[in-house]
Amino acid sequence: MSHHIIEFRNVSFTYPDGTAALRDVSFRITHGEAVGIVGPNGAGKTTLIMLMNGLILPGGGEVMVGEVPVTRKTLSEIRRKVGVVMQNPDDQLFMPTVREDVAFGPSNMELPPEVIEQRVDEALREVGALHLKDRPPHRLSGGQKKAVAIAGVIAMKPDILVMDEPTAGLDPGARRQLIEIVKGFRHSRIIATHDLDLVLEVCERCILLHGGAIKRDGPPGEILLDAQLMQESGLALPLSATV
Amino acid sequence: MEIGSNFLNIGYLDSLSYRASPVHRIDPRIKTIVTIVYVVTVVSFPRYEVSGLLPFFIYPVFLISVGNIPPGFVLRKLLLVSPFVVMVGMFNPIFDRTPMLELYGVEISGGWVSFTSILLKFVLTISTALLLIATTSFTGICEGLGRMGVPQVFVVQLLFLYRYLFVLVEEALRMVRARDARSSGKRGKGVRVFIHLVGVLLVRTIQRAERIYAAMLSRGYTGRMPLRRTHRIGMKELIFLSSWILLFLVMRRYNLSLYLGILLGQDGMR
Amino acid sequence: MHMADALLSPTVGGAFWAATGATTAYAARRLRKDINEKLVPLMGVLGAFVFAAQMINFTIPGTGSSGHIGGGMLLAILLGPHAAFLVIASVLTVQSLFFADGGLLALGSNIWNLGFYPAYIVYPLIYRSIVRDNPTARRVAIGAILSVVVALQLGAFSVVLQTRLSGISELPFRSFLLLMLPVHLVIGLAEGVITAGVVNYLRSIQPELLSSRPSSGRSLRKVIIAVSVMAVITGGLLSWFASVNPDGLEWSIQRIYGEPEIQSKENPVTEKLQAIQEKTAILPDYSLPSEGSEETDSGEAWPNPDPGTSISGLVGGFMVLLVVVIFGLGLRRLSGNGNRE
């Protein structure tokens, strides 16, 4: 299933104001992998995510999704394959009701109404939010918003699920529920986060970004529990390793 | 917090609008049309009319009762917005002193009568507008507007406005709290700080709009907003529409108060 | 300065609704033609921003009272005339529904007063011609302050005009103007300074947001043409309702020259009667189409100044209110079980 693969080939990106956000980044994520992307603020995590579904296009190098390079022409195909869950669910839940929000992606794929309805129900059930279907987004709790935002993305049945800070701003209970949801997926998952315990628990691979380049790529246990490396990279050991 | 109260009221009105009563279930288009006919009928009364307006309380009272809306809330809101109308209306008794009627020996000038009429019209029209939104979700109203031919651009950005109203107001209140926590007394509340706060809020708002647009693109936005249609005009709607409009016209044409008064006067008063 | 339903006649309210509706349709069509898809979420979020900015208060120097921002001109500067008009219209729609500002009939007039002038008159004619394509801090400041002041003066004038044409309030045209314009001059100056400050702040942070507005040069001319068209339409509407209600207009013109007030003090009895009659004639009964001819109307729908029937009317009115309240309580009890959440 080659289309579940996402590959960065020597990707560089510089913002219009001259900030070099990524320098010569290469990696390949294969089918079903759960990969954590960690690094201090400004390391390039958000830029990396925006490159994955063509919200920005690489300045140098190439981003491949399956066999398709991310270019202006392939955007609609790419966005169908790579689903991105934004950090702040308020930015992502823009439709008037939960049901309409989850249906937004499928509707843009021009699926027949019955199929859309079915996908909405499936996606909401998968994140345990079916009972919220008719609520307006501003009447949801933080955890509920996050769950619905994820549902809105998985309703498009993407091959690869990209999440930006999925646990940010959640209380411990909601965080636990979210981790269970993410663990349950069989998509290729890419999770950019400061929550190192989340990476330890969910991911089998970890990419450490520092200053716009990849510093280490390997099993989370090796990278995140290396106290010296963590300190050098402006991070700290995961909580679970310190108790 | 006095500035927050307006916002809290929106939140409260919003929560009222999701209740499930028979009036809440009526198609928003029908309620909007009935409300507009109502307002125009009330306003069409000549300016010395008082008694003929009184029967019109029936519609807001109906909405309050069937829609299960707390009347105290509506009254508080009315008081809050009354100053402009009261101020302008107050000039009627001053400029118009022509005696108009005599009540048990007290002469009442035309100005007082027309002022009373203005106040009545104010209470009637504003309370029905409030009750429209208290018994209809804002999304429902937007859906209704769209289906009555209001341009889609307008409807869509109205929905965006409403969605982000809550988010941005909270952001603004957080900023105000941060400012007030660090400013003792008046010093922090000057124009300069104010401009800076509004500027920061504006920049953040624009950045948020960009993130929202990015989120829309990520989910395949092509320029068309897929909005649902949840309401349908059925028999109940038609009956609601026609009976209220008929009643308004009857009440406009025949002064029920006057008839009732004459009837009573013949029995008891004389 | 929201216009209110209770001060409007249906004709004036309807005429301004028609003008506002036409402008909305025009703005929406223009936007659809050269739309940048990013604009729609930006418009909505900026509308929400206006409310949020109103939550931030400040102390007006020297007075100790607090003020906030209205935002119409700021929207025009950020979004250009068409998008700004629609956003202002939405802000006012939400205000009229949730804050009960003005009411639904007055909404058309309010959108006209607070949206049309800043977006379609002041922005192209004053702001653009001062700032041009070179937004220096000074130009922005002068342009913004002047624009806000002029827009608010036009709006305030419009409120007075609408009130006067409706003929519900007795406030003489001149006195009302003298009351409204200076107040709004002060408000305008304060808001102008704030608008200038905010635009300049934005200019220092994200200058590209201000330079890339679509309306310069060629399209500015289009805007001016549009304004003229609007003016013709408005003029047409005005003359139309002037012909529907000639007395109202005549009366307001008389008021401008200040004659009738002096007259009415002269002759006690006959003058009074005449005055009453004059008033009834000035505001002809706005009969709804289905109500039939006017002559039958004057007898019943009009409170006859005979004290006997007036008392009947009042007593009857109280009875009606009583019946309405009982009806409401009854309904509540009846439906009480059914609609608990």
Side-chain angles (χ1 to χ4, degrees):
Chain A
M1 296 244 278
S2 61
H3 55 281
H4 288 200
I5 290 169
I6 194 161
E7 188 174 0
F8 274 53
R9 294 178 183 159
N10 310 97
V11 172
S12 301
F13 186 83
T14 305
Y15 281 100
D17 65 0
T19 322
L22 287 182
R23 284 186 310 237
D24 198 25
V25 169
S26 299
F27 60 85
R28 180 184 162 91
I29 292 167
T30 54
H31 177 59
E33 260 190 312
V35 181
I37 296 178
V38 300
N41 287 334
K45 298 191 296 292
T46 303
T47 310
L48 200 71
I49 285 177
M50 298 213 298
L51 283 164
M52 285 182 189
N53 78 343
L55 288 173
I56 49 179
L57 295 173
E62 212 174 17
V63 179
M64 301 288 292
V65 174
E67 268 105 56
V68 186
V70 179
T71 63
R72 216 167 283 284
K73 278 186 193 143
T74 58
L75 283 184
S76 69
E77 198 185 339
I78 296 297
R79 286 175 181 155
R80 210 168 285 197
K81 288 182 174 174
V82 182
V84 176
V85 181
M86 305 276 171
Q87 174 174 350
N88 184 344
D90 273 328
D91 296 342
Q92 193 172 331
L93 302 179
F94 46 80
M95 294 295 277
T97 59
V98 165
R99 174 211 300 263
E100 283 168 278
D101 201 89
V102 177
F104 183 82
S107 308
N108 286 330
M109 295 159 78
E110 284 168 21
L111 298 170
E114 323 79 73
V115 178
I116 294 176
E117 195 66 13
Q118 194 189 333
R119 286 214 183 174
V120 170
D121 286 1
E122 269 173 31
L124 283 172
R125 200 174 295 120
E126 203 164 346
V127 299
L130 194 58
H131 61 294
L132 305 172
K133 201 167 160 184
D134 290 311
R135 293 257 199 106
H138 62 268
R139 301 212 157 265
L140 302 177
S141 73
Q144 291 172 333
K145 281 182 186 170
K146 209 83 184 195
V148 172
I150 293 173
V153 172
I154 59 176
M156 296 176 75
K157 296 199 186 285
D159 301 327
I160 298 155
L161 192 60
V162 182
M163 290 186 242
D164 192 359
E165 290 291 3
T167 53
L170 296 187
D171 61 47
R175 175 176 175 273
R176 179 44 44 198
Q177 275 175 353
L178 184 117
I179 290 178
E180 295 311 321
I181 292 171
V182 175
K183 273 174 149 176
F185 290 145
R186 278 153 316 178
H187 309 79
S188 304
R189 280 150 290 170
I190 299 171
I191 302 169
T193 186
H194 286 314
D195 184 348
L196 304 181
D197 295 280
L198 168 75
V199 177
L200 272 182
E201 184 171 345
V202 176
C203 303
E204 55 259 26
R205 181 175 160 195
C206 175
I207 293 176
L208 172 61
L209 276 181
H210 192 247
I214 295 182
K215 195 162 185 180
R216 284 283 278 282
D217 185 346
E222 283 175 21
I223 297 175
L224 301 178
L225 301 181
D226 182 338
Q228 202 195 334
L229 178 67
M230 285 290 99
Q231 205 181 0
E232 279 171 22
S233 316
L235 297 172
L237 287 177
L239 276 179
S240 52
T242 57
V243 286
Chain B
M1 197 169 176
E2 112 269 9
I3 29 167
S5 62
N6 240 351
F7 164 63
L8 293 178
N9 275 338
I10 305 188
Y12 183 61
L13 258 178
D14 181 73
S15 71
L16 289 179
S17 72
Y18 300 109
R19 291 192 173 175
S21 81
V23 270
H24 281 83
R25 281 192 287 273
I26 301 262
D27 186 294
R29 283 174 286 179
I30 299 295
K31 276 183 278 185
T32 312
I33 294 169
V34 170
T35 309
I36 289 169
V37 173
Y38 175 86
V39 169
V40 172
T41 315
V42 165
V43 172
S44 76
F45 274 101
R47 68 185 161 139
Y48 291 113
E49 184 64 65
V50 172
S51 58
L53 284 168
L54 296 174
F56 279 82
F57 274 101
I58 186 128
Y59 186 57
V61 167
F62 169 83
L63 292 179
I64 285 180
S65 312
V66 179
N68 203 5
I69 307 296
F73 172 71
V74 178
L75 285 178
R76 268 203 311 280
K77 279 279 226 188
L78 282 176
L79 269 178
L80 214 77
V81 292
S82 57
F84 181 71
V85 168
V86 172
M87 194 201 79
V88 175
M90 269 308 285
F91 285 93
N92 281 16
I94 297 172
F95 285 103
D96 178 3
R97 302 191 175 189
T98 333
M100 196 160 179
L101 55 95
E102 212 182 279
L103 263 188
Y104 305 108
V106 184
E107 208 172 65
I108 293 177
S109 72
W112 282 109
V113 175
S114 59
F115 180 46
T116 313
S117 174
I118 289 178
L119 289 184
L120 276 176
K121 286 179 181 171
F122 163 76
V123 170
L124 292 172
T125 53
I126 301 300
S127 61
T128 39
L130 273 175
L131 287 165
L132 170 67
I133 193 65
T135 58
T136 316
S137 71
F138 190 72
T139 316
I141 289 192
C142 288
E143 182 199 327
L145 288 178
R147 291 170 75 175
M148 288 192 292
V150 174
Q152 220 221 1
V153 200
F154 185 76
V155 174
V156 169
Q157 56 92 36
L158 200 55
L159 284 168
F160 269 106
L161 188 160
Y162 193 65
R163 169 67 184 90
Y164 288 97
L165 189 59
F166 298 91
V167 177
L168 292 187
V169 165
E170 262 170 40
E171 193 165 332
L173 289 178
R174 277 199 301 273
M175 289 170 74
V176 169
R177 255 176 254 133
R179 176 192 68 182
D180 294 348
R182 281 181 293 165
S183 57
S184 52
K186 280 191 287 189
R187 278 189 61 81
K189 292 191 184 171
V191 181
R192 207 171 282 274
V193 178
F194 174 77
I195 289 174
H196 185 78
L197 284 186
V198 173
V200 170
L201 185 65
L202 179 60
V203 171
R204 284 192 200 165
T205 302
I206 292 170
Q207 286 166 348
R208 185 185 289 276
E210 270 158 20
R211 292 197 303 273
I212 294 166
Y213 184 62
M216 293 167 77
L217 285 182
S218 315
R219 289 197 280 156
Y221 179 62
T222 51
R224 194 186 56 89
M225 289 292 273
L227 294 171
R228 250 175 81 87
R229 300 188 157 190
T230 46
H231 293 89
R232 214 173 52 83
I233 294 182
M235 205 52 198
K236 240 189 343 195
E237 271 78 10
L238 292 179
I239 292 169
F240 186 90
L241 179 80
S242 51
S243 46
W244 278 115
I245 290 183
L246 190 70
L247 185 61
F248 298 157
L249 293 181
V250 168
M251 294 194 300
R252 176 68 183 84
R253 181 70 183 75
Y254 303 101
N255 185 336
L256 299 183
S257 298
L258 198 60
Y259 288 149
L260 191 63
I262 290 169
L263 241 158
L264 287 172
Q266 277 168 351
D267 289 342
M269 273 180 55
R270 284 181 192 166
Chain C
M1 57 154 188
H2 284 90
M3 190 63 202
D5 279 1
L7 301 175
L8 269 181
S9 72
T11 332
V12 176
F16 278 92
W17 251 122
T20 292
T23 315
T24 307
Y26 167 76
R29 220 188 31 245
R30 284 300 309 269
L31 274 185
R32 208 173 345 158
K33 220 182 273 173
D34 45 32
I35 198 160
N36 159 5
E37 270 160 15
K38 237 172 158 169
L39 204 58
V40 177
L42 181 64
M43 285 164 69
V45 181
L46 282 179
F49 161 81
V50 172
F51 285 95
Q54 287 177 353
M55 296 295 142
I56 306 177
N57 59 338
F58 69 95
T59 315
I60 298 167
T63 62
S65 62
S66 73
H68 58 67
I69 190 169
M73 206 60 229
L74 183 63
L75 289 171
I77 294 169
L78 290 172
L79 291 167
H82 311 299
F85 181 81
L86 294 184
V87 177
I88 298 168
S90 337
V91 169
L92 291 168
T93 304
V94 171
Q95 276 180 346
S96 79
L97 287 171
F98 286 88
F99 298 164
D101 267 341
L104 294 180
L105 182 64
L107 180 58
S109 312
N110 282 324
I111 294 176
W112 183 265
N113 299 346
L114 298 169
F116 181 81
Y117 299 122
Y120 283 111
I121 307 271
V122 177
Y123 175 75
L125 296 183
I126 296 180
Y127 187 81
R128 292 297 316 177
S129 53
I130 290 177
V131 175
R132 298 220 180 85
D133 287 324
N134 178 22
T136 62
R138 247 174 67 110
R139 283 180 184 224
V140 166
I142 296 170
I145 293 173
L146 199 65
S147 302
V148 174
V149 168
V150 174
L152 269 179
Q153 290 292 303
L154 284 172
F157 180 79
S158 201
V159 168
V160 176
L161 195 69
Q162 285 153 357
T163 311
R164 198 59 281 165
L165 288 173
S166 298
I168 308 289
S169 158
E170 287 282 346
L171 202 52
F173 190 77
R174 249 191 334 194
S175 324
F176 197 11
L177 260 192
L178 284 175
L179 204 71
M180 289 287 277
L181 295 189
V183 170
H184 285 90
L185 183 66
V186 177
I187 298 176
L189 280 172
E191 194 177 330
V193 170
I194 292 160
T195 306
V198 172
V199 175
N200 268 326
Y201 175 82
L202 198 66
R203 198 182 56 92
S204 66
I205 307 249
Q206 276 176 304
E208 72 278 4
L209 282 170
L210 294 174
S211 53
S212 61
R213 287 281 64 86
S215 119
S216 58
R218 192 174 54 89
S219 55
L220 178 66
R221 203 166 307 137
K222 277 192 193 163
V223 170
I224 293 172
I225 292 167
V227 168
S228 336
V229 172
M230 281 299 161
V232 171
I233 293 172
T234 321
L237 281 170
L238 276 172
S239 55
W240 166 68
F241 76 73
S243 67
V244 172
N245 179 15
D247 292 350
L249 201 65
E250 193 183 304
W251 185 50
S252 67
I253 291 166
Q254 269 184 359
R255 281 297 166 107
I256 295 172
Y257 295 105
E259 281 155 40
E261 295 127 55
I262 311 157
Q263 273 183 2
S264 59
K265 285 173 191 161
E266 308 284 338
N267 263 342
V269 186
T270 47
E271 259 329 308
K272 274 173 197 168
L273 278 177
Q274 221 176 0
I276 294 169
Q277 265 201 329
E278 186 188 276
K279 266 154 209 150
T280 60
I282 283 162
L283 263 161
D285 208 350
Y286 295 103
S287 48
L288 293 165
S290 52
E291 275 178 47
S293 62
E294 286 154 40
E295 41 170 35
T296 48
D297 242 60
S298 53
E300 292 155 37
W302 192 249
N304 196 322
D306 162 33
T309 50
S310 295
I311 292 172
S312 304
L314 277 177
V315 173
F318 279 118
M319 293 310 290
V320 165
L321 277 187
L322 207 67
V323 170
V324 165
V325 169
I326 293 169
F327 163 80
L329 289 175
L331 264 185
R332 187 150 233 183
R333 174 151 297 185
L334 266 179
S335 58
N337 308 328
N339 60 38
R340 285 282 139 73
E341 248 187 303

